[in-house]
Amino acid sequence: APKRKKTEQHVKEAKKKTQEKMARLRTKLTELCGIMHPIIQGGMHYVGLAPLAAAVSNAGGLGVITALSVAQPQLGGAENLRREIRACRQLTSKPFAVNITLLPVGVPPDYEGIVRVVLEEKVPVVETAGRAPTTVIGPLKAGGVVVIHKCVSIRHAMSAAKAGVDMISMDGFDCGGHPGEEDVGNWVLLAKAGRVLARAGIPFVASGGCATGSQLAAALALGAEGINMGTRFMATDEAPIHRNIKQALVDADERHTTHILRSVSNTERVYKNAQAAKVQEIEAEHPGEFDRIYPLVKGDLYKKAFQETGDAENSCWSCGQSIGLIDEVVSCDELVKSIVNEAADIIESKLQRFLVQPRARI
């Protein structure tokens, strides 16, 4: 079914309500990271830059700079990450994080240099993702950095916790980017994390497909300490991407994503467009032959789309199924406040009407 588009009056009423009241939720995530609201802006290639990270942090969430977007060798490596961190500090005095994604890429990043810069610049939080964080966890923890590791399975979460991470970002199959090869959606994954990780004393946040306050309330009910949102933050005023890409997210619904790179066991959920269809055709005919599809999936293509042309069709760019929940482009401040207020309203009042008789306590 098509999404309901908000009228101008709806938008005005929502903004007025947000300004009148601001709720606050306290969780292990807010306490651990020193933030006001339990919302993380996940790392996103060519999106997680200083302007967005600072805007999210200023709104009370945890903004995240994506290291691999700025620390590429041709851009100056780790020293360019240092410049991005300092640019972020010029825009906010609130805590923010750096994402370090550990995935196979053409030119290996200088992970040692990235970690060194993070420590020297005293970044308080790091989000790791991709492979096990064993290569970076030692120096980060020795430097007093809070480490939140994103993974797609309970067993990987347990391994990361044993390695020393402070919190898990439990990433369901609904997510944009790389959902792994487990294919487990958040409705089951989070419920199981709420059992298994909770028993082990491992805090976690919900990641993948998150965009609303009702989902934040549901995540908390399932045992999570907050949510990690990527795609939803792309459709904000401060996201440093072309307005046509933002509009594509607004116009799309939950069916407008698809998977590529399945044949090379590096599955990626991307926007469903002509370029993704070409990749799928080649994979069907030549499974596992990455060289045949590389010209169509290389990052330079969607970097150009995001930052220059705004063409949503000629590259393979990551986004999650939460596109079906995006009705408009708003500021990060409006977005964070509306999500927290909606979650608080559900927790405080809406759920109460279902309880006919409280559980007897002895």
Side-chain angles (χ1 to χ4, degrees):
K3 292 185 292 185
R4 176 180 62 82
K5 298 299 181 183
K6 293 187 178 180
T7 65
E8 186 176 344
Q9 184 60 33
H10 282 138
V11 174
K12 288 181 179 178
E13 289 174 0
K15 289 181 179 178
K16 182 178 179 182
K17 186 176 180 181
T18 298
Q19 291 168 354
E20 289 173 351
K21 174 189 175 185
M22 184 61 223
R24 185 170 179 181
L25 304 169
R26 183 175 65 216
T27 72
K28 290 178 181 177
L29 173 63
T30 62
E31 293 175 342
L32 187 64
C33 298
I35 57 179
M36 184 172 291
H37 305 305
I39 298 174
I40 301 172
Q41 166 246 313
M44 293 174 283
H45 215 20
Y46 303 124
V47 184
L49 305 175
L52 178 60
V56 173
S57 290
N58 284 332
L62 183 68
V64 179
I65 294 171
T66 305
L68 297 194
S69 292
V70 294
Q72 298 171 15
Q74 68 270 27
L75 298 177
E79 286 306 307
N80 200 43
L81 172 61
R82 190 191 305 277
R83 287 188 284 271
E84 197 71 18
I85 291 169
R86 291 181 176 179
C88 192
R89 283 231 168 86
Q90 292 294 314
L91 300 172
T92 185
S93 60
K94 305 290 181 62
F96 61 88
V98 166
N99 165 279
I100 303 177
T101 298
L102 304 158
L103 282 174
V105 292
V107 180
D110 177 14
Y111 287 117
E112 184 177 337
I114 290 171
V115 170
R116 185 186 69 253
V117 166
V118 165
L119 294 174
E120 290 174 352
E121 294 299 318
K122 295 181 170 46
V123 176
V125 184
V126 161
E127 175 193 58
T128 56
R131 292 175 173 174
T134 49
T135 57
V136 298
I137 188 71
L140 289 174
K141 293 309 301 174
V145 176
V146 171
V147 179
I148 302 173
H149 182 63
K150 184 182 290 183
C151 52
V152 300
S153 71
I154 302 297
R155 71 178 190 279
H156 291 159
M158 297 294 287
S159 296
K162 288 179 182 178
V165 305
D166 299 281
M167 185 173 282
I168 296 296
S169 184
M170 207 74 251
D171 208 20
F173 193 55
D174 334 57
C175 74
H178 298 278
E181 312 304 316
E182 303 287 339
D183 295 9
V184 180
N186 263 336
W187 192 237
V188 170
L189 187 64
L190 297 179
K192 185 158 187 180
R195 289 181 178 180
V196 178
L197 300 188
R199 269 201 307 265
I202 304 168
F204 69 97
V205 298
S207 179
C210 299
T212 69
S214 60
Q215 289 173 302
L216 173 55
L220 296 174
L222 287 166
E225 302 293 334
I227 58 175
N228 180 308
M229 303 195 310
T231 303
R232 184 62 190 90
F233 276 119
M234 291 174 67
T236 56
D237 294 333
E238 297 89 349
I241 59 177
H242 198 283
R243 63 181 180 275
N244 290 359
I245 301 297
K246 298 179 187 183
Q247 192 59 45
L249 293 170
V250 172
D251 293 340
D253 64 31
E254 65 277 9
R255 301 166 299 172
H256 280 82
T257 70
T258 190
H259 289 108
I260 60 172
L261 306 182
R262 299 222 81 169
S263 72
V264 294
S265 299
N266 191 25
T267 300
E268 182 177 6
R269 185 186 293 279
V270 298
Y271 183 73
K272 185 185 288 185
N273 60 16
Q275 189 84 333
K278 291 178 187 176
V279 172
Q280 290 169 331
E281 289 174 7
I282 295 172
E283 285 196 87
E285 294 179 14
H286 307 279
E289 297 183 32
F290 183 71
D291 288 347
R292 289 180 178 269
I293 57 177
Y294 174 71
L296 299 177
V297 301
K298 59 184 180 180
D300 288 346
L301 293 179
Y302 75 85
K303 179 182 180 181
K304 186 175 182 179
F306 279 11
Q307 298 179 0
E308 298 176 32
T309 67
D311 189 334
E313 292 294 321
N314 69 350
S315 64
C316 295
W317 51 279
S318 299
C319 62
Q321 289 181 315
S322 60
I323 59 173
L325 299 170
I326 300 173
D327 295 320
E328 59 178 331
V329 177
V330 297
S331 71
C332 288
D333 188 63
E334 289 175 285
L335 178 60
V336 169
K337 286 179 179 176
S338 66
I339 287 173
V340 173
N341 281 343
E342 182 186 10
D345 185 47
I346 291 169
I347 294 167
E348 185 181 16
S349 58
K350 288 186 179 179
L351 292 179
Q352 296 297 322
R353 67 187 176 89
F354 298 110
L355 189 62
V356 176
Q357 179 177 314
R359 178 185 175 189
R361 298 192 180 277
I362 300 175

